[in-house]
Amino acid sequence: MVTIRIRNLRLRTYIGFNEEEMKKRQDVVVNVRFSYKADEAAETDDVKYAVNYRTITKEIIALVEDGRFMLLERLAADVLELVMQHEPISSAEVEVDKPHALRFSDSVSASLRAERSNA
């Protein structure tokens, strides 16, 4: 198994349920970690056997920036579902931070994990 990490993907989206939050985009930081069996990719050095993390990143960007979310939990769940749609991925973890969500705090985050039952 190999673990791929997409770190500190800084995006803007509509997130929150207060009237002001619903009117303007806010910063979010997305971190994704996923694992898949990469024996063939490592042995052959052939991209056709690898999970394309660039494709996944583009899908995450589109989901987040085109979406509207009331809760961090929902945003994290949607990103996790998107990542797990890629069949070779056996497990994934997503963390979404909302910087400056609370006074005196750097951020608030929500984390979720998933694993295929046949992994």
Side-chain angles (χ1 to χ4, degrees):
M1 287 290 195
V2 68
T3 298
I4 302 292
R5 292 183 177 169
I6 301 167
R7 293 186 177 159
N8 299 325
L9 185 57
R10 298 178 200 309
L11 304 172
R12 295 186 55 76
T13 192
Y14 295 98
I15 184 154
F17 48 86
N18 295 330
E19 187 175 333
E20 188 174 317
E21 292 175 316
M22 297 169 94
K23 290 181 182 176
K24 67 177 188 171
R25 292 180 187 267
Q26 296 180 67
D27 295 331
V28 293
V29 180
V30 178
N31 285 282
V32 177
R33 181 171 65 186
F34 62 85
S35 298
Y36 73 98
K37 191 172 189 244
D39 296 354
E40 252 184 308
E43 288 174 19
T44 64
D45 199 27
D46 191 334
V47 69
K48 72 181 176 187
Y49 299 113
V51 171
N52 189 330
Y53 52 82
R54 184 175 185 197
T55 298
I56 293 173
T57 300
K58 285 181 176 183
E59 292 171 353
I60 293 169
I61 291 168
L63 172 76
V64 173
E65 292 193 338
D66 294 341
R68 288 185 172 268
F69 309 91
M70 291 181 67
L71 300 173
L72 275 174
E73 295 88 339
R74 175 57 186 261
L75 175 52
D78 286 358
V79 172
L80 182 62
E81 181 180 336
L82 182 152
V83 172
M84 292 301 291
Q85 286 176 358
H86 293 264
E87 198 61 38
I89 294 176
S90 59
S91 64
E93 184 173 349
V94 169
E95 182 174 19
V96 179
D97 283 84
K98 184 178 175 184
H100 314 296
L102 293 176
R103 189 174 175 197
F104 307 120
S105 173
D106 290 340
S107 69
V108 173
S109 68
S111 299
L112 291 172
R113 295 181 352 179
E115 190 169 321
R116 291 197 198 287
S117 56
N118 59 353

